[in-house]
Amino acid sequence: MKKKYIGAGTALIVTASILAGCGGNSSPEASSPAASQAPASASASASTGNDKPFAGQTITLVTANHPWSEAITPLLPEFEAATGIKVKVENYFEDQLTQKLTVQFTAGSETPDVFMYRPLQDGQLFFKNGWVAPLDDYAHKDADYDFADISASAVNTTTIDGKLAGIPIITERGVLYYRKDLLEQANIPVPKTMEELVEAAKKLHDPGAEMYGFVARGQRSPLVTQLASYIFSEGGDFITDGKASINTPEAVKAMTTYGNLLKDSGPPGVLNMSWPQAFGIFAQGKVAFLTDADSLYTNATDPEKSTVSDKVGFALFPAGAAGSRPVNVTAWALSINERSKNKDAAWELIQWATSKENVLKAQQKGNPGARTSVWDNPEATKSFPEELVPIIKESMQNGVGHDRPVVVSVGEARDAVGEVVMKVITGDKDVQGAADKANANLQAIIDKDSKK
């Protein structure tokens, strides 16, 4: 049910940064801080009681310079007209955004009121330091908001110590990209299991012809978010019952499979590859298989970026011993500054931005949201490859809500895990020994963080 606002005047400041984390399309240039003009006719979804109860207030929103902020910013005049809240927008690159937020929060700043952040990279730090306001009461206050419609695993990503720290706005899942033409020519079926993927990659690997069987992220830290789907599908995890668990048989098997795929069937230079390089060589038509985030699909399907745009297929992440268990995570979310003096008005903005109506509008521009009902709406999936949509929907049901160790010191933890895979890629035979050492390092990080 649509709700109306009466009154005018609250101002909210919004800040944006570039997406370059575990996935998602990134933009190299900062967005304009001024919201584009748009008709003041959109519905606002969260107000109760008097119309425009926050008229006259000014609040701040900080976002990433990301396709989502590019989609939602032009709609802000509609929100302002409906609520009387003034929204000020600032845009930053990803590293600048995290640095800015950290500095302001450490100083006890009351701004920004609302901010865009990476839950799996910054969420633990922000929450443990008391910088974010729990949103549980807000999310369940209005039945029309339909919080239950938001993917459970996406919400899991933004939940810390049982508290809702943010509302998901961008989600992504691990999927298998493949070359339809190459598989058809070689009479190879689309791999459904890890074993089938390994075998198919070997058959199609022909370095002499500059054709490689498989590619994925090989840099120590970036690879961890994609390795996660391999670990989960084998039945493992980074941390189990509060203890590091990357030296378990399940985790070791997964890291060995990932590393060997890159060592035996990958192109030269994989140790230096993050997602841009991996997608780049795939888009050049030199690779048969790629596993990475579904949110990056345009890098393979856009004719301006890919020489094989019409030959790309999508499949569920290959099943391991535990089945197909890809990551299904919230890459970006919105939260409220704990010190904000305008929390209720700030929630109005978040509820409006993450309503079914506006998630639909953002998703129509290629931003994968977290609402199940929107994914079920054909109008929301027209911009996505038809073959990819059912894979996304199924992965949302069986996916796992994190893609790296959930700790405060995320960078250190990712380096510890990634080191094991790098050992495999470079031919180290003692994978278990490397995993045991990395597990001890990860446990030390967990113990250190618990004392903060």
Side-chain angles (χ1 to χ4, degrees), residues 338-421:
E338 175 60 35
R339 290 184 176 272
S340 169
K341 299 299 185 183
N342 306 300
K343 289 188 179 67
D344 289 346
W347 173 250
E348 292 294 312
L349 178 68
I350 291 181
Q351 181 161 275
W352 169 83
T354 60
S355 66
K356 294 177 182 178
E357 180 179 5
N358 285 320
V359 170
L360 171 61
K361 291 178 180 178
Q363 196 157 305
Q364 286 174 321
K365 293 185 177 294
N367 295 285
R371 284 194 175 274
T372 302
S373 64
V374 173
W375 279 108
D376 288 338
N377 185 341
E379 293 299 316
T381 58
K382 286 182 177 180
S383 66
F384 293 81
E386 183 177 357
E387 184 182 358
L388 180 58
V389 174
I391 293 167
I392 289 176
K393 293 170 68 173
E394 185 169 345
S395 298
M396 288 177 70
Q397 298 301 317
N398 62 2
V400 179
H402 60 281
D403 63 5
R404 67 202 77 185
V406 182
V407 294
V408 174
S409 304
V410 180
E412 293 178 48
R414 289 175 67 162
D415 284 346
V417 176
E419 183 68 25
V420 182
V421 176

Side-chain angles (χ1 to χ4, degrees), residues 8-53:
T10 304
L12 181 66
I13 301 173
V14 183
T15 307
S17 150
I18 259 185
L19 173 64
C22 60
N25 298 324
S26 61
S27 173
E29 298 178 357
S31 301
S32 167
S36 303
Q37 293 301 311
S41 59
S43 66
S45 60
S47 180
T48 58
N50 295 330
D51 291 340
K52 299 187 178 179

Side-chain angles (χ1 to χ4, degrees), residues 47-343:
S47 180
T48 58
N50 295 330
D51 291 340
K52 299 187 178 179
F54 309 109
Q57 295 184 33
T58 300
I59 54 179
T60 67
L61 168 67
V62 176
T63 73
N65 178 21
H66 176 272
W68 179 86
S69 58
E70 293 172 2
I72 208 72
T73 298
L75 306 178
L76 286 172
E78 302 175 358
F79 172 78
E80 292 177 323
T83 64
I85 297 175
K86 173 64 177 177
V87 181
K88 297 181 180 178
V89 185
E90 299 172 10
N91 304 45
Y92 297 94
F93 291 97
E94 179 180 313
D95 55 347
Q96 294 173 324
L97 175 62
T98 298
Q99 182 180 25
K100 178 181 177 63
L101 291 174
T102 301
V103 170
Q104 288 191 240
F105 292 155
T106 300
S109 175
E110 296 176 2
T111 60
D113 300 282
V114 180
F115 58 94
M116 187 173 171
Y117 76 110
R118 302 164 299 172
L120 289 166
Q121 190 68 21
D122 304 318
Q124 289 283 325
L125 174 65
F126 288 3
F127 188 85
K128 299 291 187 182
N129 285 339
W131 296 340
V132 301
L135 303 178
D136 304 80
D137 290 342
Y138 285 117
H140 297 285
K141 179 174 60 175
D142 187 350
D144 292 330
Y145 180 58
D146 195 5
F147 180 70
D149 182 49
I150 300 176
S151 165
S153 56
V155 170
N156 181 63
T157 303
T158 62
T159 301
I160 302 176
D161 296 342
K163 298 291 186 180
L164 182 64
I167 301 296
I169 52 175
I170 293 292
T171 64
E172 61 185 28
R173 291 136 294 274
V175 299
L176 175 66
Y177 295 77
Y178 67 92
R179 284 279 300 280
K180 293 180 178 179
D181 56 326
L182 296 181
L183 269 63
E184 183 177 347
Q185 292 167 11
N187 196 28
I188 296 175
V190 178
K192 294 183 178 179
T193 67
M194 293 289 183
E195 291 78 10
E196 291 175 356
L197 173 60
V198 170
E199 187 64 26
K202 287 182 179 178
K203 288 182 179 179
L204 295 172
H205 188 58
D206 186 4
E210 287 191 286
M211 176 55 65
Y212 308 99
F214 176 84
V215 73
R217 307 182 196 191
Q219 285 186 25
R220 181 173 58 179
S221 179
L223 71 81
V224 174
T225 61
Q226 305 313 307
L227 170 67
S229 295
Y230 289 78
I231 292 179
F232 301 151
S233 294
E234 292 295 353
D237 206 333
F238 299 106
I239 301 172
T240 304
D241 297 328
K243 299 294 184 181
S245 57
I246 57 172
N247 65 343
T248 63
E250 296 82 4
V252 171
K253 181 180 179 181
M255 291 186 285
T256 301
T257 298
Y258 189 94
N260 281 337
L261 275 166
L262 290 173
K263 177 173 70 72
D264 299 334
S265 302
V270 293
L271 289 174
N272 297 316
M273 290 187 179
S274 186
W275 73 262
Q277 294 80 22
F279 271 92
I281 194 168
F282 183 85
Q284 291 170 16
K286 296 183 177 181
V287 180
F289 297 103
L290 161 70
T291 54
D292 211 292
D294 56 12
S295 60
L296 291 165
Y297 74 87
T298 58
N299 292 277
T301 61
D302 185 344
E304 295 186 0
K305 300 178 180 179
S306 174
T307 62
V308 293
S309 59
D310 59 340
K311 300 178 177 66
V312 178
F314 306 91
L316 282 173
F317 192 85
S324 177
R325 297 278 288 159
V327 299
N328 176 39
V329 300
T330 297
W332 290 92
L334 291 177
S335 193
I336 295 176
N337 180 358
E338 175 60 35
R339 290 184 176 272
S340 169
K341 299 299 185 183
N342 306 300
K343 289 188 179 67

